[in-house]
Amino acid sequence: MSPIASDAVGGDLFAANLKGSLLAVASSAFIGVSFIVKKKGLRRAGAAGARAGVGGYGYLLEPLWWVGMVTMLVGEIANFIAYMFAPAVLVTPLGALSIIVSAVLAHFTLNEKLHRVGILGCGLCIVGSTMIILHAPQERTPSSVEHIWHLATQPSFLCYAAIAVGVSLFLMLYCAPRYGQTNIIVYVGICSVIGSLTVMSIKAVGIAIKLTIEGINQAGYFQTWVFAVVSATCIVIQLVYLNKALDTFNTAVVSPIYYAMFTTLTILASAIMFKDWSGQRASNIASEICGFLTVLAGTVVLHSTREPDQTTSADLYAPLPPKIYWHIQGNGGIGKQREDDSLTCEFITVVRQDYFV
């Protein structure tokens, strides 16, 4: 290939990466907003009935939750289109920007305080994201969905997919009923592991749509529909367990842990399936890794400076009866038991605080 042709190809790939980057940034903004809106909707629904974290589905009747869902859908569509133009190694880490958006909005709307050091975490996320954009690999689009199918059926990726499905089933069937309400890694782990498969299948569907628009019809291949079914299934699973995580734990905790696990697993899956780093110089790969670690450090700093959620659920304790029986034991004296209907609200409040919260 001549130098001129090589420069032209390089320019096209850079332009594609730029489009993907801008779409990923827009996606992060919408998704960050959706976290807050959905959280407020979940709180409203939880106040009126069973919370999503304990298996309730009352949020489906909450309009505010649906506004958050629509906002997230817009962000996911932008993210979906971004995968048509840029590699997952570039698009996925830019999801850290949604953490910044959700952290700032949570500070003002959910009373989840963002301390000054948290601003440093936001800055680290931005710096790391910039490094990733500048050193991202220039991916060539596969020529057909059959090519993508060939990549997905490599022994190495099939092994990864089998492990991912096995781990997800273990977390869903064994860990979630026992530890889901106390260990954030259970719900977020399910979202992250399934999410890595979601990205791979969505990228395949996106490339198929892009090729079809360009005049190379991919709808006639059964592989296109297999990828579409896998994408839809994984997305539904992610949404269910993400709702559980958001309803059970603080947004400031869910967002960074979800980002770190999801991004790490997605980069790993993409490197196995699409060979993103094949042919890249070691310096560029090192810069990308440093950029990702910088973003990861930013999320950790941002998380460590946020206050824990003080919200407690009424489901955690049973209401006190209207009559309270109490026992007094003196120094060597005879104890006595009494039924008292005249206890004040202040006394009952103290009992609740001391023994039930």
Side-chain angles (χ1 to χ4, degrees):
M1 182 180 293
S2 65
I4 297 178
S6 179
D7 290 342
V9 172
D12 292 340
L13 293 176
F14 176 79
N17 274 5
L18 181 60
K19 290 178 184 178
S21 301
L22 294 176
L23 286 166
V25 171
S27 169
S28 295
F30 281 105
I31 292 175
V33 172
S34 75
F35 266 105
I36 304 305
V37 178
K38 287 174 63 181
K39 178 79 172 185
K40 292 179 74 69
L42 288 170
R43 284 186 175 182
R44 285 189 183 180
R51 300 182 298 113
V54 294
Y57 292 94
Y59 60 86
L60 295 176
L61 301 177
E62 175 56 51
L64 191 60
W65 183 84
W66 282 107
V67 171
M69 277 299 301
V70 172
T71 306
M72 174 172 277
L73 180 61
V74 172
E76 293 296 349
I77 290 174
N79 203 45
F80 174 79
I81 300 174
Y83 282 115
M84 296 184 187
F85 296 99
V89 174
L90 168 60
V91 175
T92 306
L94 293 180
L97 300 179
S98 67
I99 299 176
I100 299 176
V101 174
S102 65
V104 173
L105 291 179
H107 175 80
F108 292 104
T109 63
L110 298 179
N111 200 31
E112 297 176 0
K113 298 302 181 182
L114 175 64
H115 298 287
R116 291 183 179 180
V117 181
I119 299 175
L120 173 62
C122 295
L124 289 173
C125 290
I126 294 174
V127 171
S129 298
T130 303
M131 292 175 63
I132 292 170
I133 292 174
L134 293 177
H135 298 279
Q138 296 179 342
E139 180 184 64
R140 287 179 170 80
T141 303
S143 57
S144 69
V145 74
E146 289 182 316
H147 183 198
I148 305 174
W149 182 263
H150 172 71
L151 296 174
T153 53
Q154 300 172 99
S156 56
F157 186 75
L158 287 177
C159 181
Y160 173 84
I163 293 174
V165 172
V167 170
S168 299
L169 290 175
F170 174 73
L171 290 175
M172 287 187 285
L173 300 178
Y174 180 81
C175 296
R178 294 170 174 81
Y179 313 111
Q181 294 294 305
T182 57
N183 192 330
I184 191 173
I185 299 300
V186 175
Y187 291 153
V188 176
I190 295 170
C191 293
S192 302
V193 176
I194 294 295
S196 66
L197 300 179
T198 304
V199 170
M200 298 303 102
S201 55
I202 279 181
K203 186 170 179 64
V205 174
I207 292 173
I209 293 175
K210 181 183 177 183
L211 291 172
T212 301
I213 293 174
E214 292 175 351
I216 308 173
N217 188 14
Q218 302 295 305
Y221 296 99
F222 80 91
Q223 293 94 334
T224 302
W225 302 104
V226 172
F227 285 128
V229 171
V230 172
S231 300
T233 303
C234 291
I235 287 172
V236 170
I237 294 173
Q238 275 187 272
L239 285 177
V240 170
Y241 284 96
L242 182 58
N243 282 329
K244 290 178 179 290
L246 285 173
D247 191 56
T248 307
F249 304 100
N250 192 313
T251 307
V253 180
V254 173
S255 296
I257 295 178
Y258 178 47
Y259 167 79
M261 296 179 65
F262 171 69
T263 304
T264 301
L265 292 172
T266 299
I267 290 176
L268 176 61
S270 183
I272 294 173
M273 179 172 171
F274 290 101
K275 307 291 190 296
D276 288 327
W277 288 331
S278 178
Q280 266 202 300
R281 290 182 298 179
S283 59
N284 284 341
I285 296 175
S287 297
E288 291 169 43
I289 294 175
C290 288
F292 171 63
L293 292 177
T294 302
V295 173
L296 189 58
T299 61
V300 172
V301 170
L302 187 58
H303 166 222
S304 65
T305 58
R306 300 291 299 280
E307 294 179 351
D309 196 353
Q310 300 297 324
T311 304
T312 57
S313 171
D315 296 337
L316 296 180
Y317 55 82
L320 290 174
K323 296 181 179 181
I324 294 180
Y325 296 88
W326 51 285
H327 184 263
I328 298 177
Q329 181 69 49
N331 294 329
I334 301 175
K336 64 177 180 178
Q337 186 174 337
R338 174 184 171 190
E339 177 182 338
D340 196 341
D341 294 325
S342 60
L343 293 174
T344 64
C345 296
E346 289 78 8
F347 179 80
I348 295 176
T349 300
V350 170
V351 172
R352 282 177 180 264
Q353 182 177 356
D354 289 347
Y355 296 96
F356 290 87
V357 177

